[in-house]
Amino acid sequence: MRRFRRLRQTPQMRSFVRENEVSVKDLIYPLFVIEGSNIKNEVPSMPNIYQYSLDRIDEELDKVVAAKIPAILLFGIPEHKDEKGSGAYDDNGITQQCVRHIKENYPGLIVIADVCLCEYTSHGHCGLVCEGHILNDETLPLLAKMAVSMAKAGADIVAPSDMMDGRVAALREALDEAGFIDTPILSYSAKFASGYYGPFRDAAGSAPHFGDRKSYQMDPANGREAMREIEDDLEEGADMIIVKPALAYLDIMKEARECFDVPFITYNVSGEYSMVKAAAANGWIDEKRIVLENMIAMKRAGADRIITYHALDVARFLEEEDV
Protein backbone atom coordinates (compact mmCIF):
# COMPACT_ATOMS: atom_id res chain seq x y z
CA MET A 1 0.00 0.00 0.00
CA ARG A 2 1.26 3.44 -0.92
CA ARG A 3 1.28 5.98 1.91
CA PHE A 4 0.31 9.19 0.13
CA ARG A 5 -0.55 10.78 3.45
CA ARG A 6 3.11 10.80 4.49
CA LEU A 7 3.52 13.96 2.40
CA ARG A 8 0.43 15.66 3.85
CA GLN A 9 1.11 15.50 7.59
CA THR A 10 2.23 19.09 8.28
CA PRO A 11 1.92 22.51 6.63
CA GLN A 12 5.66 22.49 6.06
CA MET A 13 5.58 19.09 4.32
CA ARG A 14 2.59 20.09 2.17
CA SER A 15 4.41 23.24 1.13
CA PHE A 16 7.58 21.30 0.41
CA VAL A 17 5.92 19.00 -2.15
CA ARG A 18 3.43 21.51 -3.60
CA GLU A 19 3.28 21.31 -7.40
CA ASN A 20 1.79 24.75 -8.11
CA GLU A 21 1.89 28.05 -6.29
CA VAL A 22 0.30 31.46 -6.71
CA SER A 23 2.50 34.52 -6.37
CA VAL A 24 1.66 38.21 -6.40
CA LYS A 25 3.82 38.31 -9.55
CA ASP A 26 1.12 36.27 -11.29
CA LEU A 27 -1.54 38.96 -10.87
CA ILE A 28 -2.92 41.54 -13.31
CA TYR A 29 -5.48 44.00 -11.91
CA PRO A 30 -8.20 45.50 -14.15
CA LEU A 31 -8.88 49.23 -13.68
CA PHE A 32 -11.67 51.46 -14.99
CA VAL A 33 -10.93 55.12 -15.73
CA ILE A 34 -13.89 57.38 -16.47
CA GLU A 35 -13.93 60.82 -18.03
CA GLY A 36 -14.78 63.62 -15.60
CA SER A 37 -13.43 64.84 -12.27
CA ASN A 38 -13.67 63.80 -8.63
CA ILE A 39 -15.38 60.53 -9.53
CA LYS A 40 -15.22 57.30 -7.55
CA ASN A 41 -18.25 55.22 -8.48
CA GLU A 42 -18.59 51.79 -6.93
CA VAL A 43 -19.90 49.26 -9.45
CA PRO A 44 -23.12 47.96 -7.82
CA SER A 45 -22.68 44.43 -9.15
CA MET A 46 -18.98 44.28 -8.23
CA PRO A 47 -18.31 45.04 -4.54
CA ASN A 48 -15.12 47.06 -3.94
CA ILE A 49 -14.58 47.73 -7.65
CA TYR A 50 -14.81 51.37 -8.76
CA GLN A 51 -14.76 53.65 -11.75
CA TYR A 52 -12.16 56.35 -11.11
CA SER A 53 -11.68 59.68 -12.79
CA LEU A 54 -8.11 60.50 -13.71
CA ASP A 55 -7.71 62.88 -10.76
CA ARG A 56 -8.59 60.09 -8.30
CA ILE A 57 -7.16 56.96 -9.87
CA ASP A 58 -3.95 57.27 -7.84
CA GLU A 59 -6.00 56.13 -4.83
CA GLU A 60 -6.14 52.69 -6.41
CA LEU A 61 -2.78 52.76 -8.17
CA ASP A 62 -1.03 53.42 -4.87
CA LYS A 63 -2.60 50.24 -3.48
CA VAL A 64 -1.55 48.25 -6.55
CA VAL A 65 2.06 49.38 -6.26
CA ALA A 66 2.14 48.86 -2.48
CA ALA A 67 0.87 45.30 -3.01
CA LYS A 68 3.66 44.72 -5.58
CA ILE A 69 1.17 43.72 -8.27
CA PRO A 70 3.21 44.06 -11.46
CA ALA A 71 0.58 44.93 -14.08
CA ILE A 72 -2.79 46.53 -14.69
CA LEU A 73 -5.31 46.08 -17.50
CA LEU A 74 -6.86 49.43 -18.37
CA PHE A 75 -10.40 50.12 -19.59
CA GLY A 76 -11.59 53.61 -20.47
CA ILE A 77 -15.09 55.07 -20.23
CA PRO A 78 -15.48 58.24 -22.30
CA GLU A 79 -18.08 60.93 -21.75
CA HIS A 80 -18.97 61.00 -25.44
CA LYS A 81 -19.77 57.88 -27.45
CA ASP A 82 -20.56 57.62 -31.15
CA GLU A 83 -21.22 54.97 -33.77
CA LYS A 84 -17.55 54.73 -34.75
CA GLY A 85 -16.14 54.70 -31.22
CA SER A 86 -13.91 57.67 -32.01
CA GLY A 87 -12.83 58.06 -28.37
CA ALA A 88 -11.02 54.72 -28.65
CA TYR A 89 -8.38 56.08 -31.03
CA ASP A 90 -8.32 59.72 -29.91
CA ASP A 91 -4.72 60.45 -28.87
CA ASN A 92 -6.14 62.69 -26.13
CA GLY A 93 -8.87 60.25 -25.10
CA ILE A 94 -9.45 59.37 -21.47
CA THR A 95 -7.64 56.02 -21.73
CA GLN A 96 -4.62 57.51 -23.50
CA GLN A 97 -4.46 60.27 -20.86
CA CYS A 98 -4.50 57.64 -18.15
CA VAL A 99 -1.77 55.57 -19.80
CA ARG A 100 0.47 58.64 -19.94
CA HIS A 101 -0.32 59.46 -16.32
CA ILE A 102 0.58 55.97 -15.13
CA LYS A 103 3.82 55.77 -17.10
CA GLU A 104 4.88 59.19 -15.80
CA ASN A 105 4.00 58.54 -12.16
CA TYR A 106 4.31 54.75 -11.83
CA PRO A 107 7.02 53.87 -14.36
CA GLY A 108 7.58 50.38 -12.95
CA LEU A 109 3.97 49.31 -13.50
CA ILE A 110 3.21 47.36 -16.68
CA VAL A 111 0.23 48.92 -18.48
CA ILE A 112 -1.88 46.64 -20.67
CA ALA A 113 -4.30 48.63 -22.84
CA ASP A 114 -7.47 46.80 -23.83
CA VAL A 115 -8.16 47.31 -27.54
CA CYS A 116 -11.86 47.17 -28.36
CA LEU A 117 -14.55 49.62 -29.43
CA CYS A 118 -17.39 48.50 -27.16
CA GLU A 119 -16.77 51.02 -24.34
CA TYR A 120 -16.61 53.84 -26.88
CA THR A 121 -19.50 53.09 -29.26
CA SER A 122 -23.02 54.43 -28.85
CA HIS A 123 -24.43 50.99 -29.76
CA GLY A 124 -22.16 49.02 -27.38
CA HIS A 125 -20.81 46.56 -29.94
CA CYS A 126 -17.14 45.76 -30.48
CA GLY A 127 -17.13 46.76 -34.14
CA LEU A 128 -18.78 49.00 -36.68
CA VAL A 129 -22.45 48.29 -37.32
CA CYS A 130 -24.44 48.45 -40.54
CA GLU A 131 -28.14 47.54 -40.61
CA GLY A 132 -27.80 45.43 -37.48
CA HIS A 133 -24.71 43.53 -38.66
CA ILE A 134 -21.32 43.85 -36.97
CA LEU A 135 -18.79 44.55 -39.71
CA ASN A 136 -15.51 42.67 -39.52
CA ASP A 137 -13.07 44.02 -42.13
CA GLU A 138 -14.27 47.63 -41.83
CA THR A 139 -13.57 47.52 -38.07
CA LEU A 140 -9.94 46.40 -38.38
CA PRO A 141 -8.44 49.80 -39.34
CA LEU A 142 -10.06 51.41 -36.29
CA LEU A 143 -8.72 48.74 -33.96
CA ALA A 144 -5.28 49.16 -35.50
CA LYS A 145 -5.52 52.92 -35.04
CA MET A 146 -6.50 52.41 -31.40
CA ALA A 147 -3.55 50.08 -30.76
CA VAL A 148 -1.10 52.60 -32.23
CA SER A 149 -2.66 55.40 -30.18
CA MET A 150 -2.26 53.36 -26.98
CA ALA A 151 1.35 52.51 -27.84
CA LYS A 152 2.09 56.19 -28.52
CA ALA A 153 0.67 57.03 -25.09
CA GLY A 154 3.11 54.56 -23.54
CA ALA A 155 1.18 51.30 -23.15
CA ASP A 156 3.57 48.41 -22.60
CA ILE A 157 1.20 45.83 -24.12
CA VAL A 158 -1.90 46.08 -26.33
CA ALA A 159 -4.64 43.51 -25.87
CA PRO A 160 -7.27 43.16 -28.63
CA SER A 161 -10.48 41.80 -27.11
CA ASP A 162 -12.91 42.48 -29.98
CA MET A 163 -12.81 39.00 -31.58
CA MET A 164 -12.83 40.32 -35.16
CA ASP A 165 -11.15 37.93 -37.61
CA GLY A 166 -7.73 39.13 -38.72
CA ARG A 167 -7.32 41.79 -36.06
CA VAL A 168 -3.96 40.59 -34.76
CA ALA A 169 -2.40 40.86 -38.22
CA ALA A 170 -3.92 44.33 -38.65
CA LEU A 171 -2.57 45.49 -35.28
CA ARG A 172 0.88 44.01 -35.88
CA GLU A 173 1.21 45.67 -39.27
CA ALA A 174 0.05 49.06 -37.96
CA LEU A 175 2.28 48.93 -34.88
CA ASP A 176 5.32 47.98 -36.94
CA GLU A 177 4.67 50.72 -39.50
CA ALA A 178 4.37 53.26 -36.67
CA GLY A 179 7.70 52.19 -35.21
CA PHE A 180 6.32 50.11 -32.32
CA ILE A 181 7.92 46.86 -33.36
CA ASP A 182 8.71 46.02 -29.73
CA THR A 183 5.14 46.47 -28.44
CA PRO A 184 3.74 42.99 -27.66
CA ILE A 185 0.23 41.89 -28.56
CA LEU A 186 -1.69 40.01 -25.89
CA SER A 187 -4.63 38.56 -27.79
CA TYR A 188 -7.96 37.52 -26.35
CA SER A 189 -7.87 34.53 -28.70
CA ALA A 190 -10.24 32.22 -26.84
CA LYS A 191 -12.92 34.65 -25.69
CA PHE A 192 -16.29 32.99 -25.27
CA ALA A 193 -19.77 34.52 -25.49
CA SER A 194 -20.30 34.06 -21.78
CA GLY A 195 -22.99 34.97 -19.29
CA TYR A 196 -20.24 35.71 -16.79
CA TYR A 197 -19.55 39.16 -18.29
CA GLY A 198 -22.65 40.91 -16.95
CA PRO A 199 -21.07 42.90 -14.10
CA PHE A 200 -18.21 44.05 -16.37
CA ARG A 201 -20.73 45.64 -18.70
CA ASP A 202 -22.03 47.62 -15.73
CA ALA A 203 -18.49 48.70 -14.89
CA ALA A 204 -17.49 49.63 -18.43
CA GLY A 205 -20.87 50.85 -19.66
CA SER A 206 -20.48 48.50 -22.61
CA ALA A 207 -23.66 46.44 -22.80
CA PRO A 208 -24.84 46.13 -26.43
CA HIS A 209 -27.96 48.17 -27.16
CA PHE A 210 -29.34 45.51 -29.49
CA GLY A 211 -28.74 41.82 -30.08
CA ASP A 212 -25.76 40.08 -28.51
CA ARG A 213 -22.12 39.26 -29.27
CA LYS A 214 -22.57 35.64 -30.27
CA SER A 215 -21.69 36.31 -33.92
CA TYR A 216 -18.13 37.25 -32.96
CA GLN A 217 -17.38 35.84 -29.51
CA MET A 218 -16.98 32.07 -29.33
CA ASP A 219 -19.71 29.50 -28.70
CA PRO A 220 -19.17 28.11 -25.16
CA ALA A 221 -19.77 24.60 -26.54
CA ASN A 222 -16.69 24.66 -28.78
CA GLY A 223 -13.27 23.62 -27.54
CA ARG A 224 -11.46 22.57 -30.71
CA GLU A 225 -12.39 25.87 -32.32
CA ALA A 226 -10.54 27.67 -29.52
CA MET A 227 -7.32 25.90 -30.55
CA ARG A 228 -7.83 27.10 -34.14
CA GLU A 229 -8.39 30.67 -32.92
CA ILE A 230 -5.20 30.56 -30.84
CA GLU A 231 -3.17 29.05 -33.67
CA ASP A 232 -4.43 31.71 -36.10
CA ASP A 233 -3.60 34.59 -33.76
CA LEU A 234 -0.10 33.25 -33.13
CA GLU A 235 0.48 32.96 -36.89
CA GLU A 236 -0.70 36.57 -37.27
CA GLY A 237 1.81 37.80 -34.69
CA ALA A 238 0.32 37.49 -31.21
CA ASP A 239 2.96 37.23 -28.49
CA MET A 240 0.72 36.08 -25.64
CA ILE A 241 -2.76 34.59 -25.38
CA ILE A 242 -5.78 35.11 -23.12
CA VAL A 243 -8.41 32.49 -22.34
CA LYS A 244 -11.62 34.12 -21.07
CA PRO A 245 -13.54 33.37 -18.82
CA ALA A 246 -11.42 31.32 -16.45
CA LEU A 247 -13.26 28.91 -14.18
CA ALA A 248 -15.75 27.38 -16.61
CA TYR A 249 -13.02 27.13 -19.28
CA LEU A 250 -10.11 25.54 -17.44
CA ASP A 251 -10.25 22.65 -19.91
CA ILE A 252 -9.53 25.15 -22.71
CA MET A 253 -6.57 26.53 -20.79
CA LYS A 254 -5.25 23.05 -20.10
CA GLU A 255 -5.46 21.95 -23.74
CA ALA A 256 -4.00 25.23 -25.01
CA ARG A 257 -1.09 24.95 -22.59
CA GLU A 258 -0.32 21.49 -23.95
CA CYS A 259 -0.59 22.59 -27.60
CA PHE A 260 1.26 25.92 -27.64
CA ASP A 261 4.47 27.03 -25.96
CA VAL A 262 3.72 30.73 -25.40
CA PRO A 263 2.75 32.77 -22.33
CA PHE A 264 -0.88 32.13 -21.38
CA ILE A 265 -3.07 34.41 -19.30
CA THR A 266 -6.53 33.63 -18.02
CA TYR A 267 -9.16 36.24 -17.20
CA ASN A 268 -11.02 35.58 -13.94
CA VAL A 269 -13.99 37.64 -15.09
CA SER A 270 -16.50 39.89 -13.36
CA GLY A 271 -19.28 37.34 -12.89
CA GLU A 272 -16.88 34.87 -11.30
CA TYR A 273 -15.68 37.63 -8.96
CA SER A 274 -19.16 38.82 -8.05
CA MET A 275 -20.48 35.31 -7.28
CA VAL A 276 -17.67 34.77 -4.78
CA LYS A 277 -18.23 38.18 -3.20
CA ALA A 278 -21.99 37.62 -2.92
CA ALA A 279 -21.61 34.18 -1.36
CA ALA A 280 -18.98 35.47 1.07
CA ALA A 281 -21.20 38.42 2.06
CA ASN A 282 -23.95 35.95 2.93
CA GLY A 283 -21.58 33.84 5.02
CA TRP A 284 -21.97 30.84 2.75
CA ILE A 285 -18.26 30.40 1.94
CA ASP A 286 -14.83 31.20 3.32
CA GLU A 287 -13.83 33.93 0.87
CA LYS A 288 -10.07 33.68 1.37
CA ARG A 289 -10.05 29.92 0.99
CA ILE A 290 -12.26 29.95 -2.10
CA VAL A 291 -10.36 32.76 -3.83
CA LEU A 292 -6.99 31.12 -3.30
CA GLU A 293 -8.39 27.76 -4.41
CA ASN A 294 -9.69 29.37 -7.60
CA MET A 295 -6.31 30.98 -8.25
CA ILE A 296 -4.44 27.71 -7.83
CA ALA A 297 -6.91 25.97 -10.15
CA MET A 298 -6.04 28.48 -12.88
CA LYS A 299 -2.33 27.97 -12.35
CA ARG A 300 -2.76 24.18 -12.29
CA ALA A 301 -4.58 24.36 -15.63
CA GLY A 302 -1.56 26.11 -17.14
CA ALA A 303 -2.09 29.85 -16.75
CA ASP A 304 1.15 31.80 -16.42
CA ARG A 305 -0.64 34.96 -15.25
CA ILE A 306 -4.14 35.75 -13.98
CA ILE A 307 -6.23 38.84 -14.68
CA THR A 308 -8.49 39.14 -11.65
CA TYR A 309 -10.56 41.69 -9.75
CA HIS A 310 -9.49 39.77 -6.65
CA ALA A 311 -5.88 40.87 -7.15
CA LEU A 312 -5.63 43.22 -4.16
CA ASP A 313 -7.38 40.63 -1.97
CA VAL A 314 -5.09 37.87 -3.22
CA ALA A 315 -2.00 39.96 -2.48
CA ARG A 316 -3.27 40.49 1.07
CA PHE A 317 -4.18 36.82 1.50
CA LEU A 318 -0.74 35.72 0.34
CA GLU A 319 0.94 38.13 2.73
CA GLU A 320 -1.15 36.72 5.58
CA GLU A 321 -0.12 33.21 4.58
CA ASP A 322 3.55 34.20 4.80
CA VAL A 323 3.22 35.66 8.31
Side-chain angles (χ1 to χ4, degrees):
M1 181 174 64
R2 294 186 183 183
R3 298 284 184 180
F4 292 104
R5 292 182 56 196
R6 287 180 185 138
L7 302 182
R8 302 172 189 163
Q9 295 306 303
T10 65
Q12 293 81 6
M13 184 62 73
R14 291 192 293 272
S15 178
F16 185 68
V17 299
R18 189 159 292 143
E19 297 174 14
N20 295 280
E21 293 193 31
V22 176
S23 164
V24 70
K25 294 185 295 184
D26 299 326
L27 305 174
I28 301 167
Y29 188 44
L31 280 177
F32 300 94
V33 59
I34 188 169
E35 199 162 5
S37 60
N38 195 30
I39 298 172
K40 181 183 179 182
N41 295 330
E42 186 171 22
V43 181
S45 55
M46 298 181 70
N48 301 325
I49 300 298
Y50 298 85
Q51 300 169 332
Y52 289 95
S53 54
L54 190 56
D55 58 345
R56 295 195 63 178
I57 201 164
D58 287 2
E59 298 173 24
E60 198 76 340
L61 288 168
D62 287 343
K63 296 176 186 177
V64 172
V65 171
K68 298 182 180 180
I69 294 167
I72 59 106
L73 174 61
L74 191 61
F75 298 95
I77 308 164
E79 190 172 36
H80 170 74
K81 301 187 179 190
D82 57 41
E83 290 188 355
K84 294 185 176 181
S86 58
Y89 40 89
D90 179 352
D91 286 345
N92 200 38
I94 182 59
T95 316
Q96 289 84 342
Q97 290 182 49
C98 191
V99 172
R100 288 193 291 269
H101 172 81
I102 296 170
K103 296 313 295 182
E104 289 169 8
N105 295 280
Y106 304 87
L109 196 59
I110 293 173
V111 177
I112 305 169
D114 183 79
V115 174
C116 190
L117 301 185
C118 64
E119 297 116 271
Y120 306 88
T121 55
S122 53
H123 47 71
H125 277 286
C126 301
L128 296 177
V129 173
C130 181
E131 296 181 352
H133 295 285
I134 290 78
L135 304 177
N136 192 95
D137 294 5
E138 293 83 352
T139 298
L140 300 183
L142 301 185
L143 296 169
K145 192 174 179 182
M146 182 181 183
V148 171
S149 181
M150 294 299 176
K152 284 170 60 178
D156 299 286
I157 300 168
V158 294
S161 62
D162 55 282
M163 288 300 287
M164 298 297 118
D165 292 334
R167 82 252 199 236
V168 172
L171 265 63
R172 187 71 273 160
E173 181 179 2
L175 288 165
D176 290 353
E177 287 180 356
F180 297 105
I181 60 173
D182 293 326
T183 300
I185 295 175
L186 168 60
S187 181
Y188 290 71
S189 300
K191 181 178 179 180
F192 291 83
S194 172
Y196 286 103
Y197 302 151
F200 172 88
R201 292 171 183 172
D202 294 339
S206 63
H209 291 194
F210 68 89
D212 54 42
R213 295 181 176 144
K214 293 180 180 179
S215 71
Y216 46 103
Q217 294 178 358
M218 285 187 58
D219 186 337
N222 293 358
R224 295 190 299 274
E225 183 184 358
M227 301 307 114
R228 297 197 297 273
E229 287 272 10
I230 293 168
E231 183 176 20
D232 222 42
D233 282 1
L234 290 172
E235 288 176 355
E236 290 182 17
D239 301 281
M240 299 175 282
I241 301 296
I242 291 176
V243 174
K244 178 183 180 183
L247 296 177
Y249 298 85
L250 293 179
D251 61 316
I252 305 299
M253 174 57 68
K254 183 72 172 178
E255 185 175 356
R257 173 78 286 164
E258 292 172 354
C259 291
F260 305 100
D261 188 19
V262 296
F264 273 94
I265 296 171
T266 195
Y267 197 148
N268 180 209
V269 298
S270 59
E272 296 168 335
Y273 170 87
S274 295
M275 289 193 301
V276 170
K277 286 291 185 180
N282 278 285
W284 297 336
I285 61 170
D286 179 334
E287 181 177 357
K288 176 180 176 179
R289 184 173 180 180
I290 291 295
V291 169
L292 292 179
E293 190 172 338
N294 286 345
M295 296 298 118
I296 204 68
M298 297 171 212
K299 290 297 298 284
R300 192 179 65 245
D304 297 295
R305 299 292 180 266
I306 301 168
I307 302 166
T308 179
Y309 301 94
H310 292 291
L312 288 172
D313 289 336
V314 171
R316 175 168 52 85
F317 296 155
L318 292 175
E319 188 175 7
E320 292 170 356
E321 293 282 296
D322 289 337
V323 172

